[in-house]
């Protein structure tokens, strides 16, 4: 099984009991696990880490026990965020890319994460403040913690996994920054992640446990320092947001897990009030067990992937405009959020009214239309029916043409040279200067929308899929897609 689908379904306790004798000892006779028993929860984590990641770990009875599948799903989501917003615009996992990150929870996950990422990973544990640097070829880790017991536990687990030469855990104070990248001499990192304390007070924590009809420190096994902070999880994330306003794009993605659904809207509203224009949300669900949510934001302008334009199929499922059943959106993965709180879709799909005979007919027309745009950088790959492009502004609009004409007139009035007025040098193009980056792909429609008789390419409709890769102006992206559709419609209608 691919590592990505390791925990797609609930953990099979019978199989795990067969693989782990220690887990078999705490499994009930009916094959069920007593989730109210902290020892059972701890053994589940220990056995999964050993079987699936070859990690040995000791967990203290009075500290948090991280659920492995939930955290693993968080890591996969984060990896997808990074893969779909890389500066190479490939939208695929790049094994050569070095990734530097900051993890604000669980020192126990250090080696696990390090083995999944090439590059460096700094770990900073929530309320434990562990930071660590990981390099796959030669792990070099540094950790810091404000809790003495957590420091001791982290050091013991490092020794247990024979990583002493690569990991160093030190104690710090609660006054340190949550995202202390300058402490390690770093100019920037790719991400930070955390699992903040849920509660604002001990009273709130006890009240929550009573509503769930269980003791507040039963299966949670967390100490007060791990579960309570001023302002609760929202207050903690707001502190992250405040630090991110100073760091800006020195961190590409700031992320946090949240334990309360209502916290998601509060955090997103706060981000919008501060002018954030690039964010992502998702939900982590492991079978029928506890649900968690996550929020990510970036002050940079690389857009994470969302599902392509959706429409219902005849069997009630949702599929993309090319007929594929949708997987959960990477950036819009929480249902029942107000539309205004969801990020703008990064895919727009449409079908040309006057259908071309094939992709081979539409491809050259699309290529010519994009090449005709002023101040545009465009590359079309016929073999993939895919193109990558960038524009510095709304170069298709009358307003842009008027601005360019005015600029040319000013240049001529200040020069005696014969100037053609084209001051946009494509040879010196830098995609960092682009206001909009996009990928366009031509696909044949598949699935229920394509009739049963449409077994060959000529009988199926061609779908134009526009992927928003770069930029912060959703109006500009929509305007570009509208222009492209009108242009192609006009070209095919006149042919």
């Amino acid at each position: 099984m691919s590592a990505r689908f390791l925990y797609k379904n609930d953990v099979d306790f019978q199989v795990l009991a067969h693989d782990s004798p220690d887990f078999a000892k705490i499994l009930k006779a009916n094959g069920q696990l007593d989730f109210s028993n902290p020892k059972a929860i701890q053994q589940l984590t220990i056995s999964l880490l050993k079987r699936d990641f070859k990690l040995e770990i000791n967990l203290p009875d009075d500290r948090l026990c991280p659920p492995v599948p939930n955290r693993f799903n968080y890591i996969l989501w984060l990896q997808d965020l990074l893969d779909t917003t890389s500066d190479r615009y490939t939208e695929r996992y790049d094994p050569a890319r070095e990734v530097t990150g900051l993890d604000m929870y669980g020192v126990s996950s250090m080696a696990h994460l390090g083995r999944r990422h090439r590059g460096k990973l700094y770990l900073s544990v929530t309320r434990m403040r562990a930071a660590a640097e990981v390099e796959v070829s030669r792990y070099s880790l540094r950790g810091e913690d404000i809790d003495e017991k957590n420091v001791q536990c982290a050091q013991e687990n490092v020794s247990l996994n024979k990583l002493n030469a690569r990991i160093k855990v030190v104690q710090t104070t609660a006054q340190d920054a949550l995202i202390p990248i300058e402490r390690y001499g770093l100019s920037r990192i790719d991400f930070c992640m955390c699992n903040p304390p849920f509660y604002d007070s001990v009273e709130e924590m006890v009240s929550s446990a009573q509503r769930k009809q269980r003791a507040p420190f039963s299966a949670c096994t967390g100490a007060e320092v791990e579960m309570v902070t001023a302002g609760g999880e929202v207050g903690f994330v707001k502190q992250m947001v405040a630090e991110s306003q100073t760091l800006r794009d020195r961190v590409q993605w700031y992320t946090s897990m949240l334990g309360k659904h209502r916290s998601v809207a509060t955090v997103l509203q706060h981000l919008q009030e501060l002018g954030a224009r690039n964010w992502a949300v998702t939900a982590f669900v492991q079978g029928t067990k506890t649900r968690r949510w996550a929020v990510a934001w970036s002050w940079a302008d690389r857009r994470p992937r969302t599902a392509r334009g959706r429409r219902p199929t005849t069997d009630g499922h949702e599929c993309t405009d090319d007929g594929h059943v949708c997987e959960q959106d990477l950036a819009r993965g929480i249902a029942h959020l107000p539309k205004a709180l969801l990020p703008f879709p990064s895919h727009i799909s449409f079908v040309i009214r006057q259908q071309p005979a094939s992709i081979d007919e539409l491809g050259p027309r699309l290529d010519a239309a994009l090449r005709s745009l002023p101040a545009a950088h465009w590359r079309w790959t016929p073999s993939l029916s895919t193109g990558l492009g960038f524009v510095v502004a709304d170069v298709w609009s009358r307003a842009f043409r008027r601005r360019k004409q005015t600029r040319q007139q000013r240049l001529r009035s200040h020069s005696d040279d014969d100037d053609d007025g084209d001051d946009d040098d494509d040879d010196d193009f830098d995609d960092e200067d682009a206001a909009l980056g996009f990928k366009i792909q031509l696909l044949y429609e598949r699935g229920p929308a394509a009739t049963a008789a449409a077994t060959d390419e000529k009988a199926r409709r061609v779908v134009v899929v526009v992927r928003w890769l770069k930029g912060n102006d959703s109006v500009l992206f929509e305007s570009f897609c509208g222009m492209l559709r009108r242009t192609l419609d006009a070209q095919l209608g006149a042919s």
Side-chain angles (χ1 to χ4, degrees):
M1 178 186 293
S2 169
R4 174 166 289 272
F5 301 106
L6 189 59
Y7 301 120
K8 184 177 181 180
N9 301 311
D10 283 334
V11 175
D12 189 323
F13 294 148
Q14 298 281 14
V15 173
L16 184 60
H18 178 270
D19 297 336
S20 171
D22 289 334
F23 183 75
K25 295 176 183 177
I26 56 93
L27 195 63
K28 294 161 63 173
N30 62 0
Q32 299 298 310
L33 188 69
D34 182 3
F35 282 93
S36 66
N37 180 2
K39 290 291 186 182
I41 301 300
Q42 288 181 336
Q43 188 57 56
L44 174 61
T45 293
I46 291 169
S47 295
L48 286 176
L49 287 174
K50 182 175 182 178
R51 183 190 69 176
D52 298 333
F53 303 101
K54 313 305 179 189
L55 290 174
E56 300 283 348
I57 187 170
N58 290 323
L59 295 171
D61 293 338
D62 58 349
R63 289 299 186 270
L64 281 175
C65 177
V68 175
N70 197 295
R71 300 304 188 263
F72 186 66
N73 288 338
Y74 188 178
I75 294 165
L76 291 177
W77 178 66
L78 182 53
Q79 180 175 311
D80 285 341
L81 275 179
L82 293 172
D83 289 346
T84 63
T85 57
S86 74
D87 56 10
R88 297 184 65 183
Y89 304 106
T90 60
E91 299 198 87
R92 296 190 303 271
Y93 172 65
D94 181 3
R97 178 184 178 183
E98 292 198 355
V99 174
T100 305
L102 181 74
D103 183 1
M104 299 180 190
Y105 66 69
V107 182
S108 61
S109 63
M110 284 191 295
H112 166 120
L113 292 172
R115 287 170 184 168
R116 284 198 54 77
H117 292 277
R118 183 176 187 270
K120 298 178 180 179
L121 176 67
Y122 287 77
L123 300 176
S124 176
V125 178
T126 301
R127 287 313 208 194
M128 295 184 264
R129 287 288 214 293
E133 177 186 1
V134 181
E135 190 165 334
V136 169
S137 59
R138 58 181 191 287
Y139 285 106
S140 173
L141 296 92
R142 287 173 290 179
E144 58 186 20
D145 199 310
I146 64 171
D147 182 84
E148 184 176 353
K149 185 168 185 177
N150 282 320
V151 169
Q152 179 181 353
C153 178
Q155 290 172 333
E156 289 174 354
N157 283 322
V158 167
S159 299
L160 189 60
N161 289 280
K162 298 181 173 56
L163 295 172
N164 302 73
R166 303 164 183 173
I167 300 174
K168 181 180 180 182
V169 182
V170 297
Q171 188 165 357
T172 59
T173 70
Q175 284 68 46
D176 291 327
L178 293 176
I179 311 172
I181 63 175
E182 292 182 348
R183 178 187 181 96
Y184 302 106
L186 294 171
S187 59
R188 68 176 306 277
I189 61 176
D190 296 286
F191 72 90
C192 64
M193 61 191 297
C194 79
N195 181 31
F198 287 172
Y199 305 109
D200 179 49
S201 65
V202 173
E203 291 75 20
E204 181 189 2
M205 179 177 63
V206 172
S207 175
S208 174
Q210 289 173 343
R211 289 196 301 271
K212 299 175 183 177
Q213 298 182 336
R214 62 167 173 77
F217 291 103
S218 59
C220 287
T221 69
E224 179 180 328
V225 70
E226 299 171 301
M227 301 179 68
V228 178
T229 188
E233 61 183 5
V234 169
F236 190 95
V237 176
K238 283 186 174 181
Q239 185 178 345
M240 287 181 62
V241 173
E243 292 189 17
S244 79
Q245 286 186 282
T246 300
L247 293 168
R248 304 296 290 187
D249 58 4
R250 292 181 64 187
V251 180
Q252 184 182 3
W253 283 106
Y254 303 85
T255 77
S256 178
M257 187 181 292
L258 295 168
K260 304 171 186 176
H261 185 270
R262 65 179 181 271
S263 297
V264 177
T266 303
V267 170
L268 293 178
Q269 289 168 351
H270 182 64
L271 283 167
Q272 290 181 341
E273 290 169 359
L274 296 176
R277 302 173 72 182
N278 191 11
W279 68 92
V281 292
T282 195
F284 304 124
V285 184
Q286 181 61 38
T288 59
K289 302 301 185 296
T290 302
R291 181 187 297 261
R292 292 289 181 263
W293 299 268
V295 174
W297 67 97
S298 177
W299 300 107
D301 64 354
R302 302 294 198 278
R303 313 301 301 192
R305 185 193 67 234
T306 58
R308 294 168 184 159
R310 292 182 170 190
R311 55 175 174 74
T313 68
T314 55
D315 59 1
H317 293 90
E318 286 189 328
C319 73
T320 64
D321 277 336
D322 61 331
H324 290 94
V325 174
C326 287
E327 295 183 354
Q328 186 183 52
D329 278 0
L330 174 60
R332 295 162 57 92
I334 298 182
H336 312 302
L337 269 182
K339 185 178 179 180
L341 295 181
L342 289 171
F344 193 85
S346 62
H347 283 88
I348 290 182
S349 303
F350 57 87
V351 176
I352 307 301
R353 285 198 299 266
Q354 182 67 37
Q355 272 289 296
S358 66
I359 285 178
D360 290 339
E361 178 189 354
L362 184 58
R365 294 176 182 270
L366 172 66
D367 184 30
L370 271 296
R371 288 185 184 279
S372 68
L373 291 177
H377 184 81
W378 167 252
R379 184 175 69 251
W380 175 249
T381 307
S383 61
L384 299 176
S385 302
T386 301
L388 179 67
F390 301 90
V391 292
V392 296
D394 54 344
V395 298
W396 51 89
S397 70
R398 293 180 181 177
F400 179 83
R401 290 195 294 270
R402 286 195 296 268
R403 293 195 301 268
K404 184 173 183 179
Q405 185 178 23
T406 300
R407 185 167 63 249
Q408 291 171 345
Q409 291 172 347
R410 289 174 179 172
L411 287 172
R412 292 191 186 99
S413 66
H414 289 83
S415 175
D416 294 328
D417 297 332
D418 183 13
D419 189 346
D420 63 2
D422 187 2
D423 54 316
D424 301 305
D425 188 355
D426 186 69
D427 292 336
D428 296 329
F429 176 80
D430 184 348
D431 66 90
E432 291 298 326
D433 299 328
L436 174 67
F438 53 89
K439 179 175 71 175
I440 302 176
Q441 187 174 17
L442 303 181
L443 300 170
Y444 286 111
E445 188 174 42
R446 292 189 289 179
T451 64
T455 56
D456 57 73
E457 293 181 351
K458 292 182 180 181
R460 289 182 288 165
R461 297 192 301 175
V462 177
V463 180
V464 181
V465 182
V466 187
R467 163 76 164 96
W468 185 14
L469 294 173
K470 182 181 185 298
N472 280 321
D473 190 343
S474 61
V475 174
L476 183 65
F477 175 55
E478 275 194 296
S479 174
F480 171 77
C481 293
M483 175 278 301
L484 184 63
R485 184 170 190 166
R486 291 190 302 272
T487 300
L488 296 177
D489 274 336
Q491 286 186 1
L492 289 168
S495 61

